[in-house]
Amino acid sequence: MKKTKIGVISDLHLFNKTANVEKALSKLHEVELLLIVGDIADRADEKQYDIFLNLFDERFHDMPVYCVSGNHDNPAREDTSYRQFERKINSEYPYIGDECGAFYKYVNEHIDVIGLNPLYHQKQFFFPNKGMQIDFLQKRLAASLCKYHIVMCHPPLIAHNPQRTADMTSYIVAEQDTRLQSILDKSKNVIFLSGHTHVSPSIEFDETRGNLYINDGSICPTTVKGAETDTQQGNVTLLEISKAEISVIVKGIHSEKIFIEEHITTDWSVENE
């Protein structure tokens, strides 16, 4: 298995200034695939999505990109701008979409991607239609022959939220958060990508299951965890996935500063050969 290089960005909050997005994209020239974990536009406006499409097309015309929505993309009211953007940016790279709102993408024989798009109402995320997207995830994980499963979801799960406290309410409604976590706990080699927090990026590795939880921070300046009065430059995350290792490098968009560098050895059991 050759290494697969993947770029991850989140929380672009494009309004009318593009400097942070341009800096972030400039750090991704060596990746083969780009994943965007929500909040592309700040106000779910078609013009804001078009700005990103133009910036992306100038630099990576032939690179596949997949995205999920954030609360700024997918407000409580019915809004089609994000869905139009999703169809435009993914038009040349077919994936299995589902009427429930989730999607599945087979990247190669070792890696697949599952995208979840919860809705947002009264400051909490939820999966509509009795959580059909969670059912979709469970079925896809069960049927997949790939070793690694990248799951994209804008809000982090409470158990891996870098802001979590003992009495904190989960970003996703509690019953669905618990259900989603249970499915992941029964799976192996899941890479769960989230955003939303605007806290400095974090990585948590479940050694028992080989599951990796990455909260990507933001390309906008983020609050330093544990020092709420301090901020640091926005960031991009670079993943390199090989047969027996996942490398995670999180670097600043305005410098070469590396915030996180982890090289995680993974098991490759006989049934995966």
Side-chain angles (χ1 to χ4, degrees), residues 39-55:
D39 279 355
I40 295 99
D42 195 64
R43 299 185 181 178
D45 184 89
E46 183 178 359
K47 293 179 180 178
Q48 294 167 359
Y49 293 115
D50 286 343
I51 290 172
F52 180 82
L53 287 168
N54 291 333
L55 290 173

mmCIF file of all heavy atoms in Angstrom, residues 39-55:
data_model
loop_
_atom_site.group_PDB
_atom_site.id
_atom_site.type_symbol
_atom_site.label_atom_id
_atom_site.label_comp_id
_atom_site.label_asym_id
_atom_site.label_seq_id
_atom_site.Cartn_x
_atom_site.Cartn_y
_atom_site.Cartn_z
ATOM 1 N N ASP A 39 -18.633 24.482 7.707
ATOM 2 C CA ASP A 39 -18.561 25.942 7.828
ATOM 3 C C ASP A 39 -17.660 26.540 6.750
ATOM 4 O O ASP A 39 -16.725 27.299 7.035
ATOM 5 C CB ASP A 39 -18.117 26.374 9.227
ATOM 6 C CG ASP A 39 -19.265 26.355 10.232
ATOM 7 O OD1 ASP A 39 -20.422 26.098 9.820
ATOM 8 O OD2 ASP A 39 -19.020 26.597 11.417
ATOM 9 N N ILE A 40 -17.978 26.201 5.503
ATOM 10 C CA ILE A 40 -17.240 26.774 4.369
ATOM 11 C C ILE A 40 -17.577 28.254 4.241
ATOM 12 O O ILE A 40 -16.702 29.109 4.182
ATOM 13 C CB ILE A 40 -17.565 26.029 3.061
ATOM 14 C CG1 ILE A 40 -17.073 24.581 3.131
ATOM 15 C CG2 ILE A 40 -16.912 26.715 1.868
ATOM 16 C CD1 ILE A 40 -18.128 23.585 3.463
ATOM 17 N N ALA A 41 -18.861 28.572 4.196
ATOM 18 C CA ALA A 41 -19.320 29.958 4.113
ATOM 19 C C ALA A 41 -19.746 30.442 5.496
ATOM 20 O O ALA A 41 -20.101 29.647 6.362
ATOM 21 C CB ALA A 41 -20.486 30.071 3.133
ATOM 22 N N ASP A 42 -19.710 31.752 5.672
ATOM 23 C CA ASP A 42 -20.104 32.290 6.965
ATOM 24 C C ASP A 42 -21.617 32.476 7.071
ATOM 25 O O ASP A 42 -22.180 32.350 8.150
ATOM 26 C CB ASP A 42 -19.406 33.629 7.217
ATOM 27 C CG ASP A 42 -19.493 34.059 8.667
ATOM 28 O OD1 ASP A 42 -18.931 33.350 9.519
ATOM 29 O OD2 ASP A 42 -20.140 35.092 8.941
ATOM 30 N N ARG A 43 -22.262 32.761 5.912
ATOM 31 C CA ARG A 43 -23.697 33.033 5.960
ATOM 32 C C ARG A 43 -24.481 32.233 4.925
ATOM 33 O O ARG A 43 -25.565 32.647 4.494
ATOM 34 C CB ARG A 43 -23.954 34.533 5.772
ATOM 35 C CG ARG A 43 -23.298 35.376 6.871
ATOM 36 C CD ARG A 43 -23.645 36.835 6.776
ATOM 37 N NE ARG A 43 -22.971 37.600 7.828
ATOM 38 C CZ ARG A 43 -23.063 38.927 7.960
ATOM 39 N NH1 ARG A 43 -23.801 39.627 7.111
ATOM 40 N NH2 ARG A 43 -22.417 39.532 8.942
ATOM 41 N N ALA A 44 -23.925 31.105 4.508
ATOM 42 C CA ALA A 44 -24.604 30.205 3.560
ATOM 43 C C ALA A 44 -25.050 30.929 2.300
ATOM 44 O O ALA A 44 -26.111 30.653 1.743
ATOM 45 C CB ALA A 44 -25.795 29.524 4.241
ATOM 46 N N ASP A 45 -24.198 31.850 1.837
ATOM 47 C CA ASP A 45 -24.530 32.649 0.663
ATOM 48 C C ASP A 45 -23.844 32.077 -0.571
ATOM 49 O O ASP A 45 -22.667 31.703 -0.525
ATOM 50 C CB ASP A 45 -24.078 34.100 0.897
ATOM 51 C CG ASP A 45 -24.482 35.024 -0.239
ATOM 52 O OD1 ASP A 45 -25.588 35.577 -0.181
ATOM 53 O OD2 ASP A 45 -23.676 35.179 -1.182
ATOM 54 N N GLU A 46 -24.575 32.019 -1.671
ATOM 55 C CA GLU A 46 -24.037 31.435 -2.896
ATOM 56 C C GLU A 46 -22.747 32.118 -3.340
ATOM 57 O O GLU A 46 -21.801 31.464 -3.805
ATOM 58 C CB GLU A 46 -25.081 31.522 -4.008
ATOM 59 C CG GLU A 46 -24.638 30.861 -5.307
ATOM 60 C CD GLU A 46 -25.706 30.927 -6.381
ATOM 61 O OE1 GLU A 46 -26.796 31.467 -6.107
ATOM 62 O OE2 GLU A 46 -25.449 30.431 -7.495
ATOM 63 N N LYS A 47 -22.654 33.431 -3.167
ATOM 64 C CA LYS A 47 -21.453 34.154 -3.578
ATOM 65 C C LYS A 47 -20.240 33.734 -2.763
ATOM 66 O O LYS A 47 -19.119 33.685 -3.283
ATOM 67 C CB LYS A 47 -21.686 35.666 -3.446
ATOM 68 C CG LYS A 47 -22.726 36.223 -4.411
ATOM 69 C CD LYS A 47 -22.920 37.719 -4.201
ATOM 70 C CE LYS A 47 -23.974 38.268 -5.166
ATOM 71 N NZ LYS A 47 -24.214 39.722 -4.941
ATOM 72 N N GLN A 48 -20.457 33.418 -1.497
ATOM 73 C CA GLN A 48 -19.339 32.985 -0.647
ATOM 74 C C GLN A 48 -18.828 31.616 -1.090
ATOM 75 O O GLN A 48 -17.612 31.381 -1.109
ATOM 76 C CB GLN A 48 -19.789 32.963 0.810
ATOM 77 C CG GLN A 48 -20.117 34.354 1.347
ATOM 78 C CD GLN A 48 -20.860 34.333 2.663
ATOM 79 O OE1 GLN A 48 -21.164 33.269 3.208
ATOM 80 N NE2 GLN A 48 -21.183 35.515 3.181
ATOM 81 N N TYR A 49 -19.730 30.731 -1.467
ATOM 82 C CA TYR A 49 -19.302 29.424 -1.980
ATOM 83 C C TYR A 49 -18.578 29.569 -3.309
ATOM 84 O O TYR A 49 -17.593 28.867 -3.574
ATOM 85 C CB TYR A 49 -20.502 28.496 -2.126
ATOM 86 C CG TYR A 49 -21.130 28.102 -0.811
ATOM 87 C CD1 TYR A 49 -22.425 28.506 -0.491
ATOM 88 C CD2 TYR A 49 -20.434 27.348 0.123
ATOM 89 C CE1 TYR A 49 -23.003 28.153 0.717
ATOM 90 C CE2 TYR A 49 -21.001 26.994 1.330
ATOM 91 C CZ TYR A 49 -22.289 27.402 1.626
ATOM 92 O OH TYR A 49 -22.845 27.060 2.827
ATOM 93 N N ASP A 50 -19.045 30.483 -4.147
ATOM 94 C CA ASP A 50 -18.399 30.694 -5.444
ATOM 95 C C ASP A 50 -16.978 31.222 -5.269
ATOM 96 O O ASP A 50 -16.084 30.905 -6.065
ATOM 97 C CB ASP A 50 -19.222 31.663 -6.301
ATOM 98 C CG ASP A 50 -20.485 31.025 -6.870
ATOM 99 O OD1 ASP A 50 -20.565 29.773 -6.875
ATOM 100 O OD2 ASP A 50 -21.380 31.775 -7.298
ATOM 101 N N ILE A 51 -16.758 32.037 -4.237
ATOM 102 C CA ILE A 51 -15.399 32.518 -3.960
ATOM 103 C C ILE A 51 -14.472 31.332 -3.722
ATOM 104 O O ILE A 51 -13.365 31.255 -4.269
ATOM 105 C CB ILE A 51 -15.390 33.458 -2.739
ATOM 106 C CG1 ILE A 51 -16.067 34.784 -3.075
ATOM 107 C CG2 ILE A 51 -13.949 33.705 -2.265
ATOM 108 C CD1 ILE A 51 -16.265 35.689 -1.862
ATOM 109 N N PHE A 52 -14.927 30.379 -2.905
ATOM 110 C CA PHE A 52 -14.084 29.206 -2.640
ATOM 111 C C PHE A 52 -13.873 28.386 -3.905
ATOM 112 O O PHE A 52 -12.755 27.937 -4.184
ATOM 113 C CB PHE A 52 -14.690 28.322 -1.557
ATOM 114 C CG PHE A 52 -13.842 27.109 -1.281
ATOM 115 C CD1 PHE A 52 -12.737 27.192 -0.446
ATOM 116 C CD2 PHE A 52 -14.111 25.889 -1.904
ATOM 117 C CE1 PHE A 52 -11.920 26.087 -0.220
ATOM 118 C CE2 PHE A 52 -13.302 24.782 -1.686
ATOM 119 C CZ PHE A 52 -12.210 24.888 -0.840
ATOM 120 N N LEU A 53 -14.928 28.174 -4.671
ATOM 121 C CA LEU A 53 -14.796 27.400 -5.900
ATOM 122 C C LEU A 53 -13.752 28.004 -6.830
ATOM 123 O O LEU A 53 -12.941 27.286 -7.417
ATOM 124 C CB LEU A 53 -16.147 27.317 -6.612
ATOM 125 C CG LEU A 53 -17.198 26.394 -5.978
ATOM 126 C CD1 LEU A 53 -18.564 26.631 -6.609
ATOM 127 C CD2 LEU A 53 -16.795 24.941 -6.127
ATOM 128 N N ASN A 54 -13.745 29.323 -6.948
ATOM 129 C CA ASN A 54 -12.775 29.992 -7.816
ATOM 130 C C ASN A 54 -11.360 29.840 -7.270
ATOM 131 O O ASN A 54 -10.420 29.566 -8.029
ATOM 132 C CB ASN A 54 -13.135 31.473 -7.964
ATOM 133 C CG ASN A 54 -14.402 31.677 -8.769
ATOM 134 O OD1 ASN A 54 -14.752 30.854 -9.613
ATOM 135 N ND2 ASN A 54 -15.108 32.769 -8.514
ATOM 136 N N LEU A 55 -11.190 30.015 -5.957
ATOM 137 C CA LEU A 55 -9.864 29.868 -5.355
ATOM 138 C C LEU A 55 -9.352 28.445 -5.506
ATOM 139 O O LEU A 55 -8.167 28.216 -5.811
ATOM 140 C CB LEU A 55 -9.919 30.241 -3.866
ATOM 141 C CG LEU A 55 -10.134 31.710 -3.529
ATOM 142 C CD1 LEU A 55 -10.342 31.866 -2.026
ATOM 143 C CD2 LEU A 55 -8.962 32.557 -3.995
#
